[in-house]
């Protein structure tokens, strides 16, 4: 996610946090808010979001705690919008706002990241590779594995290779000469 998008998302979450605390206190965040499960995940943990009573069939949830925006879609069993995301592995412990725009109404919830769970639970997943990947050499991988590749390289090109190279170079020179003669004859007509 680009820095401009993160800035806009953080600004929208801050604006919603400042403008909507009375509405959230009235409904407790459960009747029309955004619920996050588990409520206190460790960094790198997968979470599920639920937004009940939404008039739309899809929505997007935004939070600085998530690796990316969360696409929510209609769940068949109860009509709530549901989606999954992962908490960034680099996020610090604390409370983060989660905002969903559902039709003309903004919904908000909170996710509390608990870094203590990382130490006692499973290790957090890395957002990107941390070690080099052992990539193969394509068709040469089998030669390198058996050691035959060094033997093939130890011999210098022989007379057959030299003759083949000279013939191919001669054919290329003739083709270039014929093409230039054709282009000159077309230009004078």
């Amino acid at each position: 996610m680009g820095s401009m998008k993160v800035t806009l998302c953080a600004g929208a979450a801050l604006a919603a946090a400042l403008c909507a605390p009375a509405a959230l206190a009235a409904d407790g965040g459960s009747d029309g808010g955004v619920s996050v499960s588990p409520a206190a995940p460790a960094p790198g943990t997968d979470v599920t979001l639920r937004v009940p009573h939404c008039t739309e069939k899809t929505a997007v949830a935004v939070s600085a705690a998530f690796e990316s925006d969360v696409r929510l879609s209609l769940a068949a069993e109860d009509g709530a919008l549901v989606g999954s995301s992962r908490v960034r592995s680099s996020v610090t412990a604390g409370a983060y706002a989660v905002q969903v725009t559902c039709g003309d109404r903004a919904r908000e919830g909170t996710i509390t990241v608990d870094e203590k769970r990382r130490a006692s639970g499973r290790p957090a997943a890395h957002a990107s590779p941390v070690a080099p990947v052992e990539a193969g050499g394509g068709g040469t991988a089998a030669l390198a594995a058996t050691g035959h590749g060094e033997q093939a390289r130890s011999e210098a090109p022989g007379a057959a290779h030299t003759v083949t190279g000279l013939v191919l170079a001669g054919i290329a020179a003739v083709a270039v000469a014929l093409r230039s003669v054709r282009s000159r004859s077309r230009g004078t007509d």
Side-chain angles (χ1 to χ4, degrees), residues 43-46 67 86-90 118 122-128:
T45 303
D46 291 332
E67 287 182 349
R86 177 168 288 179
V87 177
R88 289 187 298 132
S89 60
S90 60
R118 180 190 311 201
R122 63 178 164 82
H126 293 283
S128 62

Side-chain angles (χ1 to χ4, degrees), residues 19-174:
C19 296
L24 290 174
D27 67 13
S30 62
D31 184 31
V34 178
S35 64
V36 181
S37 176
T45 303
D46 291 332
V47 293
T48 302
L49 303 170
R50 293 184 54 79
V51 180
H53 312 296
C54 183
T55 59
E56 303 294 320
K57 293 184 180 183
T58 61
V60 176
V62 178
S63 177
F66 299 144
E67 287 182 349
S68 63
D69 295 348
V70 183
R71 298 217 177 266
L72 304 172
S73 59
L74 194 60
E77 67 269 2
D78 62 355
L81 294 179
V82 179
S84 297
S85 184
R86 177 168 288 179
V87 177
R88 289 187 298 132
S89 60
S90 60
V91 75
T92 59
Y96 294 87
V98 179
Q99 184 176 356
V100 177
T101 302
C102 186
D104 58 347
R105 184 173 167 208
R107 312 275 178 103
E108 189 172 295
T110 304
I111 180 171
T112 304
V113 177
D114 185 9
E115 201 159 330
K116 293 176 188 172
R117 293 186 67 193
R118 180 190 311 201
S120 62
R122 63 178 164 82
H126 293 283
S128 62
V130 294
V133 178
E134 291 185 26
T140 63
L143 292 175
T146 60
H148 294 353
E150 292 301 318
Q151 291 174 352
R153 289 188 200 116
S154 64
E155 299 175 13
H161 291 113
T162 305
V163 171
T164 303
L166 288 173
V167 169
L168 290 174
I171 292 171
V174 169

